Amino acid sequence: MTRGYDAVPHQDRERLRRYLEAVVAARQAPVHTTVAFNTVYFGYDLGGDGYGGSPLRLDDFPVVTFGEYAPVLPVGAMVCVATGSDPLYAEIVYREGAHSEVGSFGDVPAWVSGAPAGAEGPGRRGNSAAPLRRELLVPDLDAFGPALSLSPAQLHRLRMRRRWINGDGHVVVDVCYPSRDAARCDDLTSYANHLLTTARAQLLSPFVPVSLAELVGETHDEDLRVGLLGLLDTVRGVLDSSDALRTWGHYAMTRTYLAACWRDAGPLGGDDLRSLAAAVEHAAIPVRRRYGLTSPVTVYTAVGPRLRGFPGATEALRGVDYAAAVCRANVALADVVQRDSDQGLFENGSRIALDDAFEGGGVWRSHHPGDTEIPGDPLIPVGRGWMSTTTAPPEPEPAAELDPVDLPLADDAALGPSELLRSDEDGIVWRSPLRLAHLIGGWFPLHPYVARELRRSHGRCPTTCLELAHSGEVSDRNEVVQNVTAELGDETGRLTGVGWPHDFFPGLMLELRWLSGGTVIHVATARLDEPVQVGDRVIGHCFDPSVLTREDAPGSDRHGDTAAGLGPRKLVMRTVRRCGLLTLDGHALLDRSGLPRAVYGRRPVRSQAAALESAVVELLAERLLEPAFGSRDAWGQPHFPARSGETTIPLIGYRPARQRVIRPWGGTGLDDGRLRGVQFVPGHLRRLLPGCSPSEVQRAAFREHCRRLGKADGWELPDGYTFVTDYTRGC
């Protein structure tokens, strides 16, 4: 699951889907993707105790004080709300912008809709490197079960005082973002950043069912980040694919709940939602004049404050019910727009579209006459309000031709992660692909466990022996056995002075084995059942398709890595492979309109742009590239496959055509040296039967496990549990 939704077997998806559907049905608030992740990772009891029985350490939670500055607290964050007496523990289940310029009944100045964090007025972004934004956080005060929840009387007193929480039970804070880029992060990236920094202790706790560090086999930040984002993608994919659930953005609700709300005749029920939709649809229709022309009218409406104007809505907007009401209202507006309009254009001439998904619970834009505007997807928030107050000067065309840029891979740190296969008293076995930098520099990284053991027993710079076994190939004797140097740091290490065989290539999968106490590193390749041809390269050994796509591009070989001197066709292929969105099977897809800037780093002269476009047409005609469609989000980032509610854009894709190479007659037998399917099962806790206790061996093993996760003195086993050490299936 650390590799994302598409990599999860169907049976595991279904099991996770059943649990998450039960979670969404049980919780009172809409369940955000990050909250759904929490329930799976930390353990959420559906019987009423919530996280009360989870391994979370309450003292690790950040403290939030009403009306003051706060760090970034994404949805899913576990917090302690300061109350002046007993601490109040909660899970943030919803957040939105709470700009002071938004009116009490939802009227929004144009510049606020879509404005970046730190904006000071129409067209003024502000100069602060750490921008502030006022936000409303909705905490679930019952998430940790009845033992840590307030009584109704206690909660009522806190609301009335309006000192620690406001009258609705919400927390309003001024969030200080560390940078402008951090303020633009999507919800999942923001939560991943939070878990890897502020909440790192709870993320890597050995008391969770399986720690992320064990799932990815590493404790380095980049490896943890990739695995964490993969888990979040898995959870999001499961929620989006459920027939029983309906999502608004990242928030999931059951369809049964939504249907019941439409039938409800009470406050914020079906009648009020229909009134809200009608009000937004007619908000920009001008009053008829007897003489003269009517000027265009644009109105911006924030859903959250607008709901407060309905009779009897006050109680229905308290606590987590506010989050449910806002998401329900947005779903209703989206349904009306999709059902009754043509891309947002209604019969009365108004064009309705979502303009800002965050501020005020969602800002909807009503414009009349709508037929004068270029149509687009009405559910993609593009921030027209803010853009209408800014005038960006066009980028000037350069005076001379530009040289192509050689930028590092954006996903370099996450590319080709190593996989721990076994770690026991006999030694350590891991698998990792060969990278272009390894070929050029003659080095290879060691697994952190191996580096630590070698440094402990042989010092920081020992001479080691590297033994290469290239399956099915005849290698030079000087390549088979090499004396190399191990450069060992505190947590990392690498082998230097390696002479890689001439037929080794980027992406070739290597299996490495180190025996305890020794200084020999065994490196082996494994043959494929059938050779395949990828481009001009015939490959007979197991390889990582992602690394092959990125690092075996034109201009990249063991002698260097540069775009200098390449013609337009090779520049296009190199840029698509190195800069495109990468799939697990090695496809790379690039926004076609962004190709010239990706090649040259900025807008090139017209002749260079025309040459690139001509090369694209040729490569598409020859089927060396293929056309595709993706989407672009509100921040201009492309996505594939296209996301619902985002603008569709054309992509150009590199598809590694893997043609099976026909073997000579009689050469169809399988090679016993190929990689077999193995599964590494990480160490984990197991509940004991009543009256049983763990052995001293398992207690010591658990302490060692904790030290691997970064706790120097380890932890003790919790009562009623033993520890199962890691092992490998399928060997």
Coordinates of all heavy atoms in Angstrom, one line a residue, residues 671-724:
D671 N 15.2 -19.7 -16.2 CA 16.5 -19.6 -15.4 C 16.2 -19.7 -14.0 O 15.4 -18.9 -13.4 CB 17.2 -18.3 -15.8 CG 18.6 -18.2 -15.3 OD1 18.9 -18.9 -14.3 OD2 19.4 -17.5 -15.9
D672 N 16.8 -20.6 -13.3 CA 16.6 -20.8 -11.9 C 17.1 -19.6 -11.1 O 16.8 -19.5 -9.9 CB 17.3 -22.1 -11.3 CG 16.5 -23.3 -11.9 OD1 15.4 -23.1 -12.3 OD2 17.2 -24.4 -12.0
G673 N 17.9 -18.7 -11.7 CA 18.5 -17.6 -10.9 C 17.6 -16.4 -10.9 O 18.0 -15.4 -10.4
R674 N 16.5 -16.4 -11.5 CA 15.7 -15.2 -11.5 C 15.1 -14.9 -10.1 O 15.0 -15.7 -9.3 CB 14.5 -15.4 -12.5 CG 13.5 -16.4 -12.1 CD 12.4 -16.6 -13.2 NE 11.4 -17.5 -12.8 CZ 11.4 -18.8 -12.8 NH1 12.6 -19.4 -13.2 NH2 10.4 -19.5 -12.4
L675 N 14.6 -13.6 -10.0 CA 14.1 -13.2 -8.7 C 12.7 -13.8 -8.5 O 11.9 -13.8 -9.4 CB 13.9 -11.6 -8.7 CG 15.2 -10.8 -8.7 CD1 14.8 -9.3 -8.8 CD2 15.9 -11.1 -7.4
R676 N 12.5 -14.3 -7.4 CA 11.2 -14.9 -7.0 C 10.4 -13.9 -6.2 O 11.0 -13.1 -5.5 CB 11.4 -16.2 -6.3 CG 12.0 -17.3 -7.2 CD 12.2 -18.6 -6.4 NE 12.5 -19.7 -7.3 CZ 13.7 -20.0 -7.8 NH1 14.7 -19.2 -7.6 NH2 13.9 -21.0 -8.6
G677 N 9.1 -14.1 -6.1 CA 8.3 -13.3 -5.3 C 8.5 -13.5 -3.9 O 8.3 -14.6 -3.4
V678 N 8.9 -12.5 -3.1 CA 9.1 -12.6 -1.7 C 8.4 -11.5 -1.0 O 8.1 -10.4 -1.6 CB 10.6 -12.6 -1.3 CG1 11.3 -13.8 -1.8 CG2 11.3 -11.3 -1.8
Q679 N 8.0 -11.7 0.2 CA 7.3 -10.6 0.9 C 7.9 -10.5 2.3 O 8.0 -11.4 3.0 CB 5.8 -11.0 1.1 CG 5.0 -10.0 1.9 CD 3.6 -10.4 2.1 OE1 3.2 -11.5 1.8 NE2 2.8 -9.5 2.7
F680 N 8.4 -9.3 2.6 CA 9.0 -9.0 3.9 C 7.9 -8.6 4.8 O 7.1 -7.6 4.6 CB 10.0 -7.8 3.7 CG 10.6 -7.4 5.0 CD1 11.5 -8.3 5.7 CD2 10.3 -6.2 5.6 CE1 12.0 -7.9 6.9 CE2 10.9 -5.8 6.8 CZ 11.7 -6.6 7.4
V681 N 7.8 -9.3 5.9 CA 6.8 -9.0 7.0 C 7.5 -8.3 8.1 O 8.4 -8.9 8.8 CB 6.1 -10.3 7.5 CG1 5.1 -10.0 8.6 CG2 5.5 -11.1 6.4
P682 N 7.2 -7.0 8.4 CA 7.9 -6.3 9.4 C 7.6 -6.7 10.8 O 6.5 -7.3 11.0 CB 7.5 -4.8 9.1 CG 6.2 -4.9 8.5 CD 6.2 -6.2 7.7
G683 N 8.4 -6.4 11.7 CA 8.1 -6.7 13.1 C 6.9 -6.0 13.6 O 6.6 -4.8 13.2
H684 N 6.1 -6.6 14.5 CA 4.8 -6.0 14.9 C 4.4 -6.6 16.2 O 4.9 -7.6 16.7 CB 3.7 -6.2 13.8 CG 3.5 -7.7 13.5 ND1 4.3 -8.4 12.6 CD2 2.6 -8.6 14.0 CE1 3.9 -9.6 12.5 NE2 2.9 -9.8 13.3
L685 N 3.5 -5.9 16.9 CA 2.9 -6.3 18.1 C 1.8 -7.4 17.9 O 1.1 -7.3 16.9 CB 2.3 -5.2 18.9 CG 3.3 -4.1 19.4 CD1 2.6 -3.0 20.1 CD2 4.4 -4.7 20.2
R686 N 1.6 -8.3 18.8 CA 0.6 -9.3 18.7 C 0.0 -9.4 20.1 O 0.7 -9.6 21.1 CB 1.1 -10.6 18.2 CG 0.0 -11.7 18.2 CD 0.5 -13.0 17.6 NE 0.8 -12.9 16.2 CZ 1.4 -13.8 15.5 NH1 1.9 -14.8 16.0 NH2 1.6 -13.6 14.2
R687 N -1.4 -9.4 20.2 CA -2.0 -9.5 21.5 C -1.9 -10.9 22.0 O -2.1 -11.9 21.3 CB -3.5 -9.1 21.4 CG -4.2 -9.0 22.7 CD -5.7 -8.7 22.5 NE -5.9 -7.4 21.9 CZ -6.0 -6.2 22.5 NH1 -5.8 -6.3 23.9 NH2 -6.1 -5.1 21.9
L688 N -1.7 -11.0 23.3 CA -1.5 -12.3 24.0 C -2.9 -12.8 24.5 O -3.8 -12.0 24.8 CB -0.5 -12.3 25.1 CG 0.9 -12.0 24.7 CD1 1.8 -11.7 25.9 CD2 1.5 -13.3 24.0
L689 N -3.0 -14.1 24.7 CA -4.1 -14.7 25.4 C -4.1 -14.2 26.9 O -3.0 -14.0 27.5 CB -4.2 -16.2 25.3 CG -4.3 -16.7 23.9 CD1 -4.2 -18.3 23.9 CD2 -5.7 -16.4 23.3
P690 N -5.3 -14.2 27.5 CA -5.3 -13.8 29.0 C -4.4 -14.7 29.8 O -4.4 -15.9 29.6 CB -6.8 -13.9 29.3 CG -7.5 -13.8 28.0 CD -6.6 -14.4 27.0
G691 N -3.6 -14.1 30.7 CA -2.7 -14.9 31.6 C -1.4 -15.1 31.0 O -0.5 -15.7 31.7
C692 N -1.1 -14.8 29.7 CA 0.2 -15.1 29.1 C 1.0 -13.8 29.2 O 0.5 -12.7 29.3 CB 0.0 -15.5 27.6 SG -0.9 -17.1 27.4
S693 N 2.3 -14.0 29.1 CA 3.2 -12.9 29.1 C 4.4 -13.1 28.1 O 4.7 -14.3 27.8 CB 3.8 -12.7 30.5 OG 4.5 -13.8 30.9
P694 N 5.0 -12.1 27.6 CA 6.1 -12.3 26.6 C 7.4 -12.7 27.3 O 7.6 -12.5 28.5 CB 6.3 -10.9 26.0 CG 5.8 -9.9 27.1 CD 4.7 -10.7 27.8
S695 N 8.2 -13.4 26.5 CA 9.5 -13.9 27.0 C 10.5 -12.7 27.1 O 10.3 -11.7 26.5 CB 10.0 -15.0 26.1 OG 10.3 -14.5 24.8
E696 N 11.6 -12.9 27.8 CA 12.6 -11.9 27.9 C 13.2 -11.7 26.5 O 13.7 -10.6 26.2 CB 13.7 -12.3 28.9 CG 13.2 -12.2 30.3 CD 12.7 -10.8 30.7 OE1 13.4 -9.8 30.2 OE2 11.7 -10.6 31.4
V697 N 13.3 -12.8 25.7 CA 13.9 -12.7 24.4 C 13.0 -11.7 23.5 O 13.6 -10.8 22.8 CB 13.9 -14.0 23.7 CG1 14.3 -13.9 22.2 CG2 14.9 -15.0 24.4
Q698 N 11.7 -11.8 23.6 CA 10.8 -10.9 22.8 C 10.9 -9.5 23.4 O 10.8 -8.5 22.6 CB 9.4 -11.4 22.8 CG 9.3 -12.8 22.1 CD 10.0 -12.8 20.8 OE1 11.0 -13.5 20.7 NE2 9.5 -12.1 19.8
R699 N 11.0 -9.3 24.7 CA 11.2 -8.0 25.3 C 12.4 -7.3 24.7 O 12.4 -6.1 24.4 CB 11.2 -8.1 26.8 CG 9.9 -8.5 27.5 CD 10.1 -8.5 29.0 NE 8.9 -9.1 29.6 CZ 7.8 -8.5 29.9 NH1 7.7 -7.2 29.6 NH2 6.8 -9.1 30.5
A700 N 13.5 -8.1 24.7 CA 14.8 -7.5 24.2 C 14.7 -7.2 22.7 O 15.2 -6.2 22.2 CB 15.9 -8.5 24.5
A701 N 14.0 -8.1 22.0 CA 13.8 -7.9 20.5 C 13.0 -6.6 20.3 O 13.3 -5.8 19.3 CB 13.1 -9.1 19.9
F702 N 12.0 -6.3 21.1 CA 11.2 -5.1 20.9 C 12.0 -3.9 21.2 O 11.9 -2.9 20.5 CB 10.0 -5.2 21.9 CG 9.1 -4.0 21.7 CD1 8.3 -3.8 20.5 CD2 8.9 -3.1 22.7 CE1 7.5 -2.7 20.4 CE2 8.1 -2.0 22.6 CZ 7.4 -1.8 21.4
R703 N 12.9 -3.9 22.2 CA 13.7 -2.8 22.5 C 14.7 -2.5 21.4 O 14.9 -1.3 21.0 CB 14.5 -3.0 23.8 CG 13.7 -2.9 25.1 CD 14.5 -2.8 26.3 NE 15.1 -4.1 26.6 CZ 14.6 -5.1 27.4 NH1 13.4 -4.9 27.9 NH2 15.2 -6.2 27.6
E704 N 15.2 -3.5 20.8 CA 16.1 -3.4 19.6 C 15.3 -2.8 18.4 O 15.8 -2.0 17.7 CB 16.7 -4.7 19.2 CG 17.6 -4.7 18.0 CD 18.8 -3.7 18.1 OE1 19.2 -3.5 19.3 OE2 19.3 -3.2 17.1
H705 N 14.1 -3.3 18.3 CA 13.2 -2.8 17.2 C 13.0 -1.3 17.4 O 13.0 -0.5 16.4 CB 11.9 -3.5 17.3 CG 10.8 -3.0 16.4 ND1 10.8 -3.1 15.0 CD2 9.7 -2.3 16.8 CE1 9.7 -2.5 14.6 NE2 9.0 -2.0 15.6
C706 N 12.7 -0.8 18.6 CA 12.5 0.6 18.9 C 13.8 1.4 18.6 O 13.7 2.5 18.1 CB 12.1 0.8 20.3 SG 10.5 0.0 20.7
R707 N 15.0 0.8 18.9 CA 16.2 1.6 18.6 C 16.4 1.8 17.1 O 16.9 2.8 16.7 CB 17.4 0.8 19.2 CG 17.6 1.0 20.7 CD 18.9 0.5 21.2 NE 18.9 -0.9 21.3 CZ 18.6 -1.6 22.4 NH1 18.2 -1.0 23.4 NH2 18.6 -2.9 22.4
R708 N 15.9 0.8 16.3 CA 16.0 1.0 14.9 C 15.1 2.1 14.4 O 15.4 2.7 13.4 CB 15.6 -0.4 14.2 CG 16.7 -1.4 14.3 CD 16.3 -2.6 13.4 NE 17.4 -3.6 13.5 CZ 17.3 -4.8 12.8 NH1 16.2 -5.0 12.0 NH2 18.3 -5.6 12.8
L709 N 14.0 2.3 15.1 CA 13.1 3.4 14.7 C 13.5 4.7 15.2 O 12.8 5.7 15.0 CB 11.7 3.0 15.3 CG 11.0 1.8 14.7 CD1 9.6 1.6 15.3 CD2 10.9 1.8 13.2
G710 N 14.6 4.8 15.9 CA 15.2 6.1 16.4 C 15.1 6.4 17.8 O 15.5 7.4 18.3
K711 N 14.5 5.4 18.7 CA 14.5 5.6 20.1 C 15.7 5.0 20.7 O 15.8 3.8 20.8 CB 13.2 5.0 20.7 CG 13.0 5.3 22.1 CD 12.5 6.7 22.4 CE 11.9 6.9 23.8 NZ 12.8 6.6 24.9
A712 N 16.6 5.8 21.2 CA 17.9 5.3 21.6 C 17.9 4.2 22.7 O 18.6 3.2 22.7 CB 18.8 6.4 22.1
D713 N 17.0 4.5 23.7 CA 16.9 3.5 24.9 C 15.7 2.6 24.7 O 15.5 1.8 25.6 CB 16.8 4.3 26.2 CG 15.6 5.3 26.2 OD1 15.1 5.5 25.1 OD2 15.3 5.8 27.2
G714 N 15.0 2.6 23.6 CA 13.9 1.6 23.3 C 12.7 1.9 24.2 O 12.7 2.8 25.0
W715 N 11.7 1.1 24.0 CA 10.5 1.2 24.8 C 10.2 -0.2 25.4 O 10.8 -1.2 24.9 CB 9.3 1.6 23.9 CG 9.0 3.0 23.8 CD1 8.6 3.9 24.7 CD2 9.2 3.8 22.6 NE1 8.5 5.2 24.2 CE2 8.8 5.1 22.9 CE3 9.6 3.5 21.3 CZ2 8.9 6.2 22.0 CZ3 9.6 4.5 20.4 CH2 9.3 5.8 20.7
E716 N 9.4 -0.3 26.4 CA 9.0 -1.5 26.9 C 7.7 -2.0 26.3 O 6.8 -1.2 25.9 CB 8.8 -1.4 28.4 CG 10.1 -1.2 29.2 CD 11.2 -2.2 29.0 OE1 10.8 -3.4 28.9 OE2 12.4 -1.9 28.9
L717 N 7.5 -3.3 26.2 CA 6.3 -3.8 25.6 C 5.1 -3.4 26.5 O 5.1 -3.5 27.7 CB 6.3 -5.4 25.5 CG 7.0 -6.0 24.3 CD1 7.2 -7.5 24.6 CD2 6.2 -5.8 23.1
P718 N 4.0 -3.0 25.8 CA 2.7 -2.7 26.6 C 2.1 -4.0 27.2 O 2.4 -5.1 26.6 CB 1.8 -2.1 25.6 CG 2.3 -2.6 24.2 CD 3.8 -2.8 24.4
D719 N 1.4 -3.9 28.2 CA 0.8 -5.0 28.9 C -0.1 -5.8 27.9 O -0.9 -5.1 27.2 CB 0.0 -4.6 30.1 CG 0.9 -4.1 31.2 OD1 2.1 -4.5 31.2 OD2 0.4 -3.3 32.1
G720 N -0.1 -7.1 27.9 CA -1.0 -7.9 27.1 C -0.5 -8.2 25.7 O -1.2 -8.7 24.9
Y721 N 0.8 -7.7 25.4 CA 1.3 -7.9 24.0 C 2.6 -8.6 24.0 O 3.4 -8.5 25.0 CB 1.4 -6.5 23.3 CG 0.1 -5.9 23.0 CD1 -0.6 -5.1 23.9 CD2 -0.5 -6.1 21.7 CE1 -1.8 -4.5 23.5 CE2 -1.7 -5.5 21.3 CZ -2.3 -4.7 22.3 OH -3.5 -4.1 21.9
T722 N 2.9 -9.2 22.9 CA 4.3 -9.7 22.7 C 4.7 -9.1 21.4 O 4.0 -8.4 20.7 CB 4.3 -11.3 22.6 OG1 5.7 -11.7 22.5 CG2 3.6 -11.8 21.4
F723 N 6.0 -9.4 21.0 CA 6.5 -8.8 19.8 C 6.9 -9.9 18.8 O 7.6 -10.9 19.2 CB 7.8 -8.0 20.1 CG 8.4 -7.3 18.9 CD1 7.7 -6.4 18.1 CD2 9.7 -7.7 18.4 CE1 8.3 -5.8 17.0 CE2 10.2 -7.2 17.3 CZ 9.6 -6.2 16.6
V724 N 6.5 -9.8 17.6 CA 6.8 -10.8 16.5 C 7.9 -10.2 15.7 O 7.7 -9.1 15.1 CB 5.6 -11.1 15.6 CG1 6.0 -12.1 14.6 CG2 4.5 -11.7 16.5

